[in-house]
Amino acid sequence: MATENGSPISLNSRFLIVNPENGGVLDLLKFWAFNNQESGAKFLESAHDGVIQEGLLVDNTTDHRWVIIVSIIVRKIITVFGKPMEWTGYLVEFILNLLSLNGNFLGLLYNIFHGNVAIPQRDSETFISAIGHLDGRIDLYQSEMLLKETIQPEFWKKILQVGAGSQVLMDLCILASKLAYENANVVRNVVNLHWKMHFVDFYNCWNDYQKEMSTQVFILCNKEKDADLILISFRGTEPFDADDWSTDFDYSWYEIPELGKVHMGFLEALGLGNRMNTSTFREQLQGNNIWSNDFNARHGLDKPSESDKPSGTDENIVPTMGEMTAYYAVRSKLKSLLEEHKNAKFVVTGHSLGGALAILFPTVLVLHKELEVMGRMLGVYTYGQPRVGNEQIGKFMEAHLEHPIPKYFRVVYCNDLVPRLPYDNKTFLYKHFGICLYYNSLYIEQKVEEEPNRNYFGWRYLIPDYLNAIWELFRSFIIGYLYGPEYKESLESILLRIVGLAIPGLSAHSPVDYVNSVRLGRMSSVENGPYPTGQY
């Protein structure tokens, strides 16, 4: 059995693909107002137990068409502004780096008159991303206690003994998540020179949703020999990348019986399938694709030879498998590092989209029965992470993330809109799992099952959201006086706060508030629990 585009459908496969580009505004209105199936078929493709349904939402979701319609409208708008966003991003980052390299505006004028202007070079060790200009902090958490402890050779071994709730580990993870937005040269310098750790590698990986090498991840160890800690950090949603934002608003999913429904765009970002050939998701997630396991390591990232391919392989998936994919590249390197550093444990982290990839990575390790590797995992920290699948995934991972001790901490700051995506209700079943550490706009911590206003669009939160955005703008002018110069917000961050007056929750997604939350937040429920954030 195959779809109209020739994609074979595995027996009992279930999926939903939302294609906003295939229909027009009139089709959208007909589908919304009259549930016109002919119009809906232009946007939707689904399968239920191997039966293709076009225009119908499986699991009785036709009564909730508006959620899909909102997704389609937002993604259409993002597509229209995609190229202008990209060009704006290049221009903004060039100007920001031009100013910083030349001592800001007055320094730039001086250098222009003297013919000595420093021109930014993208991917150089001095070129900083827009995220880096929002929050320029790169030094790890400091305190009087830590200043004495960090010089001790057994420092990180002590941190790991505290467990996954250590404030120092949380701080390292948020800074590593923020650092992942930088290029490889910047990452290497910060890890080696500022953190005095060991930079392992930086990967630009194939993203099958975006059809380009746009999934970035880096790996570090706390020291080069006999390391205690291995850290994997995935890059998140880039502010001027339309495809990243479109991924966050995508409601397409694929269901694996053992695992549940998983966000299709996030799977593609990890290199675990291709929506143009939906059978690849089952092959990748169930480990049936025999040439893809450690493919990058065994074939040097070349395309597989004919002898490596299973019989009956669809040629459409070969180019994807021939690229470096994040899951297999990171898994292969992680295994070699764990073999090299016998006593090391590993942590996975990421902000925004990077957080989604960070929790999916160990999830697929479990699905692939990499239990020996999982036995060495210390924890997963995500910041501003969108939902990755349904409730079944949480139950599937419960034994590996909650027992015998909690290992998955999902940090959410206040009104950040991204953790409220994709939509969560009884129909779509996108659900968060793990321990949620929620911080309000005063950086007061709460340990909750779900952040308030879980779907962002709640009407009763509308006025409080706007009032909070006003408070956050005001706070940006005084926070440096309240907590010290390291908390003073940059001009770029203040400008983003102003944008947040129009779209409450957008500026709250900035890493600025996540760094502040980790460093300033206090939570009595955690302090009384097994992993106090106040320790180390």
Side-chain angles (χ1 to χ4, degrees):
M1 183 178 295
T3 63
E4 288 186 356
N5 60 24
S7 303
I9 300 300
S10 301
L11 184 63
N12 297 326
S13 62
R14 292 159 61 91
F15 63 83
L16 172 68
I17 300 176
V18 183
N19 298 307
E21 67 277 4
N22 291 347
V25 175
L26 184 58
D27 295 309
L28 199 60
L29 288 173
K30 288 180 179 179
F31 181 52
W32 172 65
F34 307 109
N35 192 21
N36 184 288
Q37 293 300 298
E38 183 178 353
S39 298
K42 296 181 181 180
F43 298 107
L44 305 173
E45 179 182 349
S46 62
H48 187 187
D49 295 334
V51 179
I52 301 301
Q53 299 174 318
E54 294 183 329
L56 292 173
L57 302 178
V58 299
D59 295 333
N60 192 32
T61 57
T62 52
D63 292 334
H64 298 268
R65 293 185 302 275
W66 70 271
V67 179
I68 290 292
I69 290 168
V70 169
S71 170
I72 292 171
I73 292 173
V74 171
R75 291 172 65 194
K76 277 182 172 292
I77 293 173
I78 291 173
T79 300
V80 169
F81 290 98
K83 279 300 179 182
M85 285 175 64
E86 181 182 348
W87 298 333
T88 300
Y90 275 104
L91 180 61
V92 167
E93 288 191 337
F94 179 83
I95 292 174
L96 291 175
N97 281 277
L98 181 67
L99 292 171
S100 63
L101 287 175
N102 290 278
N104 294 320
F105 184 70
L106 293 178
L108 177 60
L109 290 180
Y110 179 86
N111 287 344
I112 289 174
F113 286 126
H114 289 80
N116 191 30
V117 177
I119 303 298
Q121 300 296 320
R122 190 170 290 273
D123 293 329
S124 71
E125 60 187 24
T126 59
F127 193 94
I128 306 301
S129 70
I131 294 292
H133 282 279
L134 281 175
D135 188 341
R137 290 173 288 189
I138 59 174
D139 292 326
L140 298 176
Y141 178 77
Q142 298 291 324
S143 70
E144 291 184 7
M145 176 184 64
L146 288 176
L147 288 174
K148 299 176 182 177
E149 294 283 347
T150 51
I151 62 175
Q152 301 299 321
E154 299 297 309
F155 173 72
W156 280 102
K157 185 173 292 186
K158 292 181 180 179
I159 293 297
L160 299 187
Q161 289 173 352
V162 172
S166 160
Q167 186 177 17
V168 171
L169 192 55
M170 289 180 67
D171 186 72
L172 172 62
C173 285
I174 180 54
L175 287 189
S177 298
K178 185 167 71 75
L179 185 60
Y181 289 96
E182 308 301 333
N183 67 64
N185 290 311
V186 173
V187 173
R188 181 185 294 107
N189 277 359
V190 171
V191 171
N192 290 341
L193 302 180
H194 288 271
W195 296 354
K196 307 300 181 184
M197 296 184 180
H198 173 59
F199 172 79
V200 176
D201 214 340
F202 185 100
Y203 299 96
N204 282 297
C205 300
W206 178 255
N207 184 324
D208 225 325
Y209 178 76
Q210 300 180 9
K211 301 301 179 187
E212 59 183 357
M213 307 292 277
S214 60
T215 298
Q216 284 81 21
V217 55
F218 77 86
I219 304 176
L220 65 82
C221 295
N222 69 304
K223 52 187 177 180
E224 187 173 1
K225 302 293 184 182
D226 299 321
D228 305 299
L229 176 67
I230 300 165
L231 184 143
I232 302 164
S233 180
F234 287 91
R235 180 180 293 183
T237 305
E238 298 189 71
F240 297 102
D241 191 319
D243 289 331
D244 280 359
W245 285 103
S246 184
T247 303
D248 289 337
F249 281 92
D250 187 12
Y251 284 85
S252 305
W253 51 260
Y254 189 89
E255 183 172 12
I256 294 294
E258 310 94 301
L259 183 61
K261 295 178 181 177
V262 189
H263 190 288
M264 193 175 285
F266 299 154
L267 290 175
E268 290 172 310
L270 277 177
L272 292 169
N274 178 347
R275 71 181 65 197
M276 296 302 293
N277 182 352
T278 53
S279 66
T280 57
F281 292 109
R282 179 171 294 275
E283 292 166 355
Q284 294 295 309
L285 293 172
Q286 292 188 330
N288 295 334
N289 194 330
I290 63 173
W291 80 80
S292 64
N293 294 330
D294 286 326
F295 174 78
N296 303 121
R298 294 187 292 107
H299 293 276
L301 307 184
D302 293 327
K303 293 181 181 180
S305 62
E306 292 298 323
S307 61
D308 288 320
K309 301 176 187 177
S311 60
T313 297
D314 193 311
E315 291 294 327
N316 292 332
I317 66 174
V318 173
T320 301
M321 296 302 101
E323 302 286 355
M324 181 192 291
T325 56
Y327 172 76
Y328 292 107
V330 173
R331 188 184 74 172
S332 178
K333 189 62 178 180
L334 176 60
K335 283 184 173 182
S336 67
L337 288 172
L338 291 174
E339 179 66 26
E340 179 183 354
H341 305 285
K342 299 296 185 181
N343 298 316
K345 294 185 177 181
F346 73 95
V347 172
V348 193
T349 191
H351 168 261
S352 190
L353 170 62
L357 304 185
I359 186 55
L360 276 181
F361 177 72
T363 301
V364 180
L365 285 178
V366 173
L367 194 64
H368 286 174
K369 303 187 187 307
E370 297 283 357
L371 301 185
E372 185 176 348
V373 176
M374 285 296 296
R376 305 275 295 275
M377 188 181 80
L378 178 66
V380 180
Y381 281 101
T382 69
Y383 303 87
Q385 170 215 314
R387 299 179 178 102
V388 298
N390 66 355
E391 189 174 10
Q392 186 178 343
I393 295 179
K395 294 179 179 178
F396 176 83
M397 289 298 293
E398 182 177 359
H400 303 277
L401 297 176
E402 298 183 14
H403 303 291
I405 57 175
K407 294 182 180 179
Y408 173 33
F409 296 86
R410 185 174 60 83
V411 181
V412 177
Y413 168 73
C414 201
N415 295 330
D416 184 353
L417 64 87
V418 174
R420 277 88 175 177
L421 299 172
Y423 199 82
D424 167 18
N425 68 3
K426 64 181 180 180
T427 296
F428 290 96
L429 303 178
Y430 276 104
K431 299 288 183 183
H432 278 305
F433 58 99
I435 294 176
C436 178
L437 302 181
Y438 174 78
Y439 296 80
N440 65 17
S441 61
L442 297 176
Y443 301 121
I444 296 174
E445 305 175 11
Q446 300 174 57
K447 182 179 176 181
V448 297
E449 291 186 4
E450 186 80 36
E451 57 270 23
N453 187 19
R454 66 181 185 179
N455 284 318
Y456 182 71
F457 298 105
W459 290 106
R460 67 190 182 97
Y461 290 97
L462 186 62
I463 294 177
D465 283 351
Y466 278 99
L467 291 175
N468 190 75
I470 295 172
W471 153 244
E472 288 176 334
L473 176 60
F474 174 74
R475 186 191 63 196
S476 67
F477 292 103
I478 64 172
I479 191 168
Y481 299 102
L482 294 176
Y483 298 110
E486 70 169 292
Y487 295 96
K488 181 180 179 181
E489 293 199 17
S490 65
L491 175 61
E492 294 86 353
S493 181
I494 293 173
L495 291 176
L496 182 61
R497 301 285 189 195
I498 295 174
V499 174
L501 296 177
I503 311 175
L506 181 63
S507 62
H509 190 55
S510 167
V512 172
D513 284 314
Y514 283 96
V515 176
N516 290 349
S517 295
V518 169
R519 295 185 174 184
L520 299 175
R522 294 293 180 270
M523 178 167 63
S524 59
S525 60
V526 168
E527 290 174 353
N528 294 328
Y531 296 109
T533 56
Q535 291 187 15
Y536 286 101

